[in-house]
Amino acid sequence: MKLISTSVCLLAGAMTSAALPSENSGRVVSDLARSEITWTGHVRPGEPTVSITGTAERIYKRIIEMNPNYDNELGLNSSNSTVKRRDLEPIVKRATTSDDWTCAYGNDVNAESIGAGIRYLYSIANGDCAAPPGSPGAGGCTVSSCNAGAGIFLCNDSSNELHTDCFIVADNAVEVLINCQSTTYAGGNTWITNTHGQIFSKDRSWNVILNRC
């Protein structure tokens, strides 16, 4: 396996918004942002897997540099893709997520910026996303995405390194995005939608957080 280091209109329909506290006592960014995710997957069909460390956006751009035809050969446009393209609108419950989410965690971030990060996670969805060992309340957190100060964090509460499909990280981020929103009037014809929150895996061994980065 090779090792490589790289250091929208969001909502198409009306959503029911959960009321969010503007600030709370969630862990500070310095506690969360210990590292960036490591993606492991195939960049070209039939070749060995490659590991790339970075945010989802930088990982995707590095993959495209290595194989400009990745989307059609192995990505979401490919007939070989094990993951179907997903939208961010309210949809039927995703099998990969739990109901164990809270909006009372983190600080407000722009929902459109979170949506952009989710789309990049889906762009690398056919690979594995890893996070370092951690413990409950002090998880080994990685920055999966950081767009305009809006972060998606994958946090590991287990003493073993976490490996999970990147599309599962994206699915969980969408679940928080759908359930935890507040929209405020910004003057004129402008409305701003913010989000933040946390969702745990079904076995509570890891979680995904939307918070400032």
Side-chain angles (χ1 to χ4, degrees):
M1 179 180 71
K2 299 178 183 177
L3 290 176
I4 298 174
S5 178
T6 71
S7 290
V8 279
C9 174
L10 181 63
L11 306 174
M15 286 187 174
T16 301
S17 298
L20 303 182
S22 59
E23 303 286 337
N24 62 55
S25 59
R27 286 151 60 195
V28 297
V29 172
S30 60
D31 288 339
L32 291 176
R34 295 184 179 181
S35 60
E36 295 173 327
I37 58 168
T38 295
W39 175 89
T40 301
H42 294 279
V43 173
R44 294 181 184 275
E47 292 189 357
T49 58
V50 171
S51 290
I52 307 173
T53 298
T55 62
E57 179 178 4
R58 295 214 309 271
I59 290 169
Y60 175 70
K61 289 181 177 179
R62 181 69 182 110
I63 290 171
I64 295 302
E65 288 176 358
M66 298 171 67
N67 179 11
N69 201 36
Y70 171 81
D71 286 336
N72 293 322
E73 291 181 348
L74 292 170
L76 294 182
N77 296 337
S78 168
S79 60
N80 297 320
S81 176
T82 58
V83 179
K84 301 299 182 184
R85 187 174 296 278
R86 288 159 157 79
D87 296 318
L88 304 186
E89 291 77 15
I91 55 176
V92 175
K93 180 69 182 176
R94 296 163 191 255
T96 60
T97 64
S98 73
D99 293 316
D100 191 3
W101 50 265
T102 177
C103 302
Y105 187 100
N107 300 299
D108 273 349
V109 291
N110 183 268
E112 288 192 18
S113 297
I114 290 292
I118 289 170
R119 289 187 174 93
Y120 276 112
L121 277 168
Y122 281 135
S123 294
I124 61 172
N126 286 329
D128 168 276
C129 282
S135 60
C141 292
T142 59
V143 182
S144 302
S145 174
C146 183
N147 288 284
I152 302 171
F153 298 87
L154 173 61
C155 293
N156 181 12
D157 292 330
S158 168
S159 59
N160 299 315
E161 186 174 68
L162 170 67
H163 292 273
T164 188
D165 292 325
C166 295
F167 80 84
I168 295 179
V169 181
D171 279 356
N172 279 270
V174 171
E175 201 70 30
V176 176
L177 177 64
I178 288 173
N179 287 290
C180 301
Q181 292 187 31
S182 64
T183 300
T184 57
Y185 179 61
N189 295 320
T190 304
W191 296 79
I192 297 175
T193 300
N194 290 321
T195 184
H196 62 256
Q198 180 180 30
I199 185 169
F200 288 90
S201 63
K202 292 180 179 180
D203 64 0
R204 292 188 67 87
S205 65
W206 55 270
N207 62 91
V208 172
I209 294 171
L210 308 186
N211 199 2
R212 294 175 187 166
C213 59

